[in-house]
Amino acid sequence: MIDFIEVCRRASSGPLISEERFDRELFFPTVQELVKKYEIKPDLANPVCDSDAEADAIYQAGLELITRVGVYCTDSNRIIELGTDEVSEALREAPGPCWFGEGKDRRFYPVRRPDDFDTPAMCAVGGSLPCSTEEIAFKTVEGIARIHEADCITQPSIMHLNQVPIVAGSPQGFLACIRGVEIGRSACRQAGRPGLAFVNGLPGAGSAIETIAASFPAFGLRPSDGWYVGFTAEMKISYGALVKCALLERVGGHIGSEQAPIIGGYCGGPAGAAITNVAYIIAGIMVMRGHYALCFPVDMNLGVTGTRGVLWATSASSQAISRHINYPFHHVAYPNGGPMTESYFYEVAAHHLAAITSGSSAQTGLPAKGTQTDHMTPLEFKLAAKIISSAHKVSRSEANEIVNRIIPKYEEKLASPNIGKPYQAVFDIDTGLPTAEYIAFYQRMKKALQDMGVPLDV
Amino acid sequence: MDHNEIIKSMFKAMLDLDKENAQKIAQAAVQDSLDLNRFLQEGMSAAMESIGKKFQNGEMYLPELQMSADVFQAAMQVIEPELLKLKKGYQEKKRVVIGTVKGDLHSIGKDLVATMLKTEGYDVIDLGVDISSLDFMERAVQLNAHVIALSALLTTTMAAQKEVIEAMDTNGVRDRFKVIVGGAPVNQSWAEKIGADAYGENAVAAVKIINNFFPE
């Protein structure tokens, strides 16, 4: 595979083009051309794709896309071009499965296939949602770490230090990153899981300086943890992201290439998003030097992952990737529903079934689209984790039937805000335990999902 | 050529995203002394409305919306000087300064709002991403803008929206502009807290709100 210095060289000397022209004259028309060339036709009535031939076509289209458009460096305004032979070589050398965490908490992140009944999905729990106090952040992580099914976690972000608001790129932003790691490590220890890995030790949206500084071993992050490094839509990378990759490659941390094809945006519709999702995986391996990928095709207008178009793109691209590339990847749900809403549970169930039966692993959904302070709790994550851990037991076609039963339960509500309840309304902050009301709600939703066919171990 | 036919052909050229043809038809409309307000409303704005619906329905995508805005503006370059000469029934364009706040590199939501505003006939100055609070204010003042639209996609950057308003208050220019805020972590209560004039939950809502800033 081309080495990272070569990536740097190409970012500095590749073809020069404005971002607008890259988007509108190169990327978008190429994706649309490939959708037609490979005759990719989403069947939104059946969001869990069940066609190996279609998955293979999407893979070929993704392969052609990355070799024709490359990756755009937003700082140098140049294209990092990737040749066909180089891509083939990189895919032969793709990293394969990996291990996260340490000691008894060490967990395997497998490479899976569609209808992979023998290999449970890797289960990542949590999200870097904002928390208003360190106490809520600690209790949330402690609760998440106690989830038996959690193979790795993501800890929340704190919003102020001694009442000084956290602003991106500021010194207090860097200090907040360190504090987040400290809280996360301490809370995992409190939960009896000192070796549990962070699948994303620092906010992926953080600056390169924050990442480099907060990754210093003294602050608690370990090479057995992971770091998400993000592309921007579509197929773009900044110098800041490349700097993060340079650091992590040299210290041996796991790089999680983060990709979110936006349906309605520069990749077009669900077919274009599926092709783009494949192309991103290749870009993640070659340009970011990734060890795994975080994927989330998302609807541009609603900002959620539960629409039929997104579910189809998630399923179809997961099959394309897992049938051809030896690289672990997981999809995360962005449900509209927040904690203690029916919608949250239905949306994540549909998403995880579509993704996991198609060969992906999964991360529990970020409640209320991951945007509301204090709006995440261990209890909805617990059920989401159980779904992730059991979803491999059904086939794609079975999952499709279940998903089609679930979608009507939430589809009409996706356009309306449904943020649910904050942690402090449904959990006792002192004990870190859920209220009786939320427990009853959880039991009701678990039964409702089981009655709909969602495989859930009792 | 029949005036109705000219208007219909303009509508089609807009939907076909055919900039060259749209400009030719606009020139024909001017030369034929067509009612240009009617031409704008029925041939151009109606087409943009149709394109907007197609975008909402997932039949067209952001780049096509952007191209339609280019076609619209290309045609406007032809007819606007004539409309201004007439002045009758034609409102000069309002100017919107839009950007993503400091520390934030997300652009696609902002791009969508900018495009939709252009198709509504606004003069849109897109400052880009990672724009400092003072730059927002200074550019809006320099350009005699009417609206400042601030996008933030991260909880760690949304505070910059407040800072833009603070900068305007400190410099005594707050009353000159309407300020609308948007982005994933932003909501109505945040907008009220920081003294913004409005919150746009999504691009369509933002455009409606900005239209309501300037009732005819």
Side-chain angles (χ1 to χ4, degrees):
Chain A
M1 181 154 61
I2 56 170
D3 63 33
F4 191 72
I5 305 293
E6 178 60 24
V7 171
C8 297
R9 189 189 70 76
R10 295 182 191 189
S12 304
S13 61
L16 197 58
I17 185 173
S18 73
E19 189 169 343
E20 185 180 308
R21 289 190 62 208
F22 176 81
D23 290 333
R24 291 164 65 171
E25 295 177 23
L26 181 57
F27 188 83
F28 176 69
T30 306
V31 174
Q32 299 312 298
E33 182 196 318
L34 292 171
V35 168
K36 286 194 181 102
K37 176 179 173 181
Y38 289 93
E39 297 179 8
I40 297 162
K41 295 179 180 139
D43 176 9
L44 299 190
N46 294 295
V48 186
C49 181
D50 192 9
S51 164
D52 290 344
E54 179 140 64
D56 293 343
I58 291 168
Y59 171 73
Q60 291 299 328
L63 206 58
E64 189 172 337
L65 177 63
I66 194 63
T67 55
R68 285 176 60 178
V69 307
V71 177
Y72 185 77
C73 179
T74 50
D75 286 283
S76 63
N77 299 125
R78 294 182 183 273
I79 297 176
I80 301 167
E81 292 183 308
L82 301 171
T84 307
D85 290 344
E86 293 171 335
V87 168
S88 298
E89 182 187 34
L91 292 178
R92 282 196 301 274
E93 296 173 6
C98 54
W99 289 88
F100 278 83
E102 300 188 355
K104 67 174 180 63
D105 299 314
R106 194 163 181 243
R107 290 288 185 274
F108 185 58
Y109 188 163
V111 173
R112 303 181 63 248
R113 298 283 179 262
D115 292 338
D116 197 339
F117 304 117
D118 295 327
T119 311
M122 184 283 294
C123 178
V125 180
S128 52
L129 278 74
C131 283
S132 60
T133 69
E134 291 191 14
E135 187 179 18
I136 290 176
F138 185 97
K139 282 291 196 305
T140 302
V141 176
E142 186 187 353
I144 288 171
R146 291 188 192 281
I147 295 173
H148 167 74
E149 292 84 358
D151 291 319
C152 50
I153 66 168
T154 296
Q155 72 273 29
S157 308
I158 54 173
M159 298 312 298
H160 62 86
L161 280 174
N162 295 1
Q163 299 303 319
V164 178
I166 303 305
V167 173
S170 64
Q172 65 268 30
F174 153 63
L175 290 173
C177 286
I178 298 176
R179 193 72 194 112
V181 175
E182 289 172 340
I183 289 171
R185 279 272 108 90
S186 181
C188 286
R189 194 171 295 279
Q190 179 91 334
R193 297 193 72 181
L196 186 62
F198 301 142
V199 71
N200 181 37
L202 297 167
S207 69
I209 291 176
E210 284 170 359
T211 299
I212 291 167
S215 298
F216 199 70
F219 301 132
L221 286 174
R222 308 186 279 237
S224 59
D225 290 315
W227 285 252
Y228 290 151
V229 183
F231 289 105
T232 50
E234 301 292 357
M235 212 56 66
K236 297 173 196 163
I237 195 164
S238 65
Y239 272 166
L242 287 169
V243 166
K244 291 183 192 180
C245 297
L247 165 77
L248 293 166
E249 195 184 34
R250 277 143 187 80
V251 303
H254 295 102
I255 298 171
S257 53
E258 184 178 333
Q259 57 195 63
I262 299 177
I263 293 178
Y266 297 115
C267 59
I275 295 172
T276 304
N277 213 24
V278 173
Y280 268 131
I281 291 285
I282 301 170
I285 292 169
M286 295 183 74
V287 174
M288 284 198 180
R289 338 298 292 168
H291 301 91
Y292 62 103
L294 168 70
C295 317
F296 49 104
V298 66
D299 182 280
M300 179 170 199
N301 289 318
L302 299 173
V304 297
T305 53
T307 65
R308 285 182 176 273
V310 173
L311 292 174
W312 182 90
T314 296
S315 167
S317 61
S318 293
Q319 292 174 45
I321 296 162
S322 61
R323 281 174 60 78
H324 294 278
I325 305 179
N326 188 33
Y327 188 64
F329 65 99
H330 59 279
H331 281 79
V332 64
Y334 274 82
N336 182 50
M340 205 167 156
T341 62
E342 290 186 4
S343 203
Y344 175 87
F345 294 94
Y346 288 130
E347 289 180 69
V348 299
H351 176 272
H352 294 334
L353 281 167
I356 291 168
T357 57
S358 300
S360 177
S361 286
Q363 181 169 343
T364 53
L366 276 61
K369 302 188 252 192
T371 61
Q372 304 298 318
T373 301
D374 293 337
H375 277 66
M376 73 170 169
T377 83
L379 196 54
E380 65 271 5
F381 286 150
K382 180 176 173 179
L383 191 51
K386 288 188 180 301
I387 295 169
I388 291 171
S389 299
S390 305
H392 67 288
K393 296 177 183 174
V394 299
S395 66
R396 284 173 286 176
S397 58
E398 286 170 324
N400 188 52
E401 286 178 20
I402 301 169
V403 168
N404 266 328
R405 286 198 283 274
I406 295 175
I407 288 175
K409 292 287 190 184
Y410 67 77
E411 200 173 22
E412 297 295 314
K413 300 173 195 161
L414 285 176
S416 308
N418 189 11
I419 64 172
K421 308 238 189 257
Y423 178 94
Q424 45 274 57
V426 293
F427 265 70
D428 182 320
I429 291 180
D430 293 325
T431 61
L433 294 173
T435 60
E437 186 192 6
Y438 198 12
I439 293 173
F441 184 90
Y442 168 95
Q443 297 294 355
R444 180 165 69 75
M445 288 312 303
K446 191 167 83 170
K447 182 169 187 317
L449 289 171
Q450 284 172 317
D451 289 347
M452 295 177 92
V454 176
L456 273 171
D457 292 333
V458 173
Chain B
M1 198 177 173
D2 176 67
H3 285 188
N4 288 332
E5 288 304 314
I6 293 178
I7 290 174
K8 276 186 194 164
S9 62
M10 186 59 176
F11 187 95
K12 185 175 182 306
M14 298 280 309
L15 251 64
D16 289 344
L17 307 178
D18 188 344
K19 187 159 132 182
E20 200 179 315
N21 200 19
Q23 281 186 303
K24 283 185 186 152
I25 296 168
Q27 276 154 4
V30 169
Q31 278 154 16
D32 268 23
S33 303
L34 208 141
D35 178 347
L36 291 179
N37 275 312
R38 186 183 160 219
F39 180 78
L40 173 61
Q41 290 307 315
E42 295 177 27
M44 294 172 61
S45 298
M48 295 312 302
E49 198 178 324
S50 178
I51 289 170
K53 281 186 186 147
K54 285 180 185 289
F55 173 75
Q56 291 288 307
N57 292 339
E59 296 166 57
M60 289 180 89
Y61 309 116
L62 176 61
E64 291 160 320
L65 202 65
Q66 290 170 325
M67 283 185 246
S68 73
D70 289 346
V71 175
F72 184 90
Q73 290 189 312
M76 279 302 287
Q77 276 173 359
V78 174
I79 70 168
E80 191 171 34
E82 304 303 317
L83 283 166
L84 287 170
K85 280 182 204 165
L86 294 171
K87 286 219 177 194
K88 184 177 157 190
Y90 176 67
Q91 301 254 337
E92 207 169 334
K93 286 189 286 195
K94 300 292 184 190
R95 185 165 292 142
V96 180
V97 162
I98 188 170
T100 304
V101 298
K102 185 72 182 164
D104 201 324
L105 302 180
H106 294 91
S107 66
I108 205 165
K110 181 256 309 166
D111 291 347
L112 179 57
V113 173
T115 298
M116 291 183 102
L117 286 171
K118 285 179 195 172
T119 67
E120 287 280 320
Y122 288 90
D123 180 15
V124 180
I125 314 298
D126 186 345
L127 300 181
V129 299
D130 192 20
I131 305 301
S132 80
S133 306
L134 286 177
D135 278 347
F136 269 112
M137 181 195 70
E138 285 165 6
R139 291 301 303 275
V141 167
Q142 274 167 15
L143 295 164
N144 286 319
H146 300 87
V147 179
I148 300 176
L150 305 170
S151 174
L153 207 81
L154 304 171
T155 48
T156 50
T157 58
M158 60 196 273
Q161 294 174 333
K162 182 179 176 205
E163 194 175 76
V164 174
I165 295 172
E166 277 175 3
M168 291 196 288
D169 278 330
T170 304
N171 288 275
V173 298
R174 174 68 182 93
D175 290 340
R176 285 176 58 175
F177 309 101
K178 292 290 191 188
V179 177
I180 181 168
V181 294
V186 179
N187 54 31
Q188 181 62 39
S189 98
W190 167 254
E192 286 169 14
K193 182 177 172 185
I194 66 172
D197 293 293
Y199 156 63
E201 187 185 357
N202 53 47
V204 170
V207 171
K208 275 191 189 144
I209 288 165
I210 291 174
N211 284 340
N212 285 337
F213 284 159
F214 311 108
E216 292 185 70

